[in-house]
Amino acid sequence: MLVASGLVKHYGGVTALDGVGITLDAGEVHALVGENGAGKSTLVKIISGVVRPEGGAIELDGEPVRFAGARQAAAQGVAIVSQELMTYDDLTVLENLFPYGAPRRRGLVSTREMRRLAAPVLEELGIDPPLHARAGELPLADRQLLEICRALLLEPRVLILDEPTSALPREAAARLAGVTWRLAERGLAVLYISHFLEEVMRIATRVTVLRDGRVVLPGAGAADVSLDSLVTAMLGQPAAHGAGPAAAPGGRSGTEPAAAPPGRRSPSPASRSPAGCGTSR
Amino acid sequence: MSVPKPSAAAPPANGDGGAAPRRRTRRPVPDEAGVVGVLILLVLGVGLFQPDFLRTGNLLTTAHNSVYVGLMALGMVFALAMREVDLSVGGMYAMGVVVGALLIRDGWNTWLAALAVLALSALVGALNGAVTTYLRLPSFIVTLATAMLLRGVGLALAEGKQITDLPQGDALFRVLGGGELLGVPDAVWVFVLAVVVLTVLFTRTRFGARVRAIGSNPEAAEFGGLPVARTRIAALALSGLMAGLAAVLALAFFIAGDPTIGQGYELTAIAAAIIGGTPLKGGTGSVLGAAAGTLILGAVTAALVFFEVPINWTTFATGGVILVAVGAAPLLRRVRDVRDLRAVRDLRSPGRNP
């Protein structure tokens, strides 16, 4: 569905991406992992139109595309939920769901229409927010889910979730995992960026690993990759005990899978995780 | 928001929220309720000691006197809600009055001259926005400079004198200056209409939502591709337009072009907007609140006359009122926020009885 190839980007004298490519297929959850500074954020910003690459190409359904901004990318079906919280805390929950172009009736924004459009997405996420409350009054985790709602309302074909669970408690992350699978089953291509390798192993269909601005593991089937080999690909060497790359700062603890999709393997990360590798959350 | 619906596919781990019945939230009490209440209490309170204050004629005169700075306060809400400020409205007002008077004196149709003043004000406001945006300068500095430029242009065009030889019997002066509808001055009706239109614009249109969104989280607005530059230019153009409208009404009422008119009005307009619940940090605001804030300041000025406060102390007293009002506003807001937060928590609490 989306094919990016040969992407190059420098920031000053630093090479952020050096000929990176990635292929996202409909119906898959494609994880993108790498250490901090590996180029993950730059790659997703390029794919979502926020940053323009210096070289390379992006094709959407076989057609070359060049996004002038996030809004144009969204209009063509590529939506991103950013790592940074992008809610408008002074606006109502409902207004936050339609920041680009709220539905109108006789030229005025229609609250009723917004409710009607939002209802199925809220239903799908399994949440019931106070729609007229200011978004800033919601807890952090809820605001993150609000952003995911907003992205889904754009009816994307490619959905980029950049560290979507970093602020979520375990039950919310589990719910999000279920939603992610359902979206993929619906035919969306989901690019899932996370520091939490066990989460990646649970959720992803395929995994791409970046290291120092290059792809070191291109779209490997998640079932064919062990946690150890993933860590090795990220670091360029086997993980040393107690110095893992994916240590979660605070957040949830525990290693059991939140929920496994029907028909998918349900790994036991606790038994597979290299001891002290910091992949638990 | 984390109250799960019964039909949620993935129930929460603790399982205590899955059966929570769906509840509807009531819309929160409008932000303006407090400031409108203060206005009513102020008027009634003064009336208690000075019954003549409550005479319809006095109240309408007070309202009429507040219209000019009030219109600027309404426009200022849009600038402040975007984390911008427009210090040029006082200068714009003076320039508008002078330009309008000169055009009429030069034989222009009065209504056409009024339209020209409105167009010019909106254009200069848009220029404020364009310079702020494209030179990446704070609107505070840009509009401070244009305030002086505009007042300077007004003084130069009028050669420092009032322009008085205008056709007093003309329809513009009769209708907008001295006209009444249902006993209420037409200028007050214009103000009421502006409050209604701008309230709708601020709260019920995509433009208003963008203004508030950009003020609430500029980084998210840039990241999400909202038209930040266009919206900023439009918001400052609107602020200029409202100053121009005030100029047209003032010209129609005074039938003269005074280049020294409106000194300090920009600060009064900002104070009125802040009293009315539009914070400097942006993201939110209230057009109706700004109108009420203006009327509070107008009522205080009028009340000081009734209480025979020496004229030299009225400015001091007005400053004191502004300080008390803007000091009390955050306090009231904090009380309201705590109340709203409790309401949200109650709503989210699965164990709460509906």
Side-chain angles (χ1 to χ4, degrees), chain B residues 10 12 18 41 52 87 97 132 141-142 187 189 204 208 215 221 236 274 277 280 284 298 308 342 346:
Chain B
L41 286 178
D52 279 354
L87 294 177
V97 165
T132 299
I141 300 296
V142 172
W189 284 116
R204 297 291 308 278
L236 288 175
I274 293 172
L280 286 172
T284 183
E308 296 178 356
R342 278 191 191 140
D346 285 351

Side-chain angles (χ1 to χ4, degrees), chain A residues 50 70-71 80 82 85-91 95 99-102 104 108-109 111 115 119 123 126-134 137-139 142 145-146 171 175 182, chain B residues 1-5 7-10 13 22 25 27-28 31 200 204-206 209-210 212-213 216-217 220-221 223-227 281-283 336-337 340-341 344 347-348:
Chain A
V50 177
R71 205 170 164 194
I80 181 171
S82 168
L85 207 56
M86 292 290 176
T87 50
Y88 303 103
D89 289 350
D90 297 293
L91 273 61
E95 286 175 323
Y100 306 108
R104 286 182 294 190
L108 300 180
V109 169
T111 306
R115 281 173 180 275
E123 182 85 34
I127 52 176
D128 186 12
L131 296 177
H132 293 291
R134 270 185 280 258
E137 292 167 2
L138 301 179
D142 288 359
L145 287 171
L146 195 63
E171 61 268 25
R175 202 185 312 149
R182 282 203 300 279
Chain B
M1 184 162 161
S2 59
V3 179
K5 290 181 177 179
S7 59
R22 185 187 174 91
T25 43
R27 283 168 192 264
D31 293 345
V200 171
R204 297 291 308 278
T205 66
R206 288 180 178 177
R210 279 179 195 147
R212 289 179 285 122
S216 182
N217 191 342
F223 182 88
L226 290 189
K281 71 171 183 62
R336 192 202 60 207
D337 286 350
D340 288 353
L341 205 61
V344 170
L347 186 84
R348 291 163 48 78

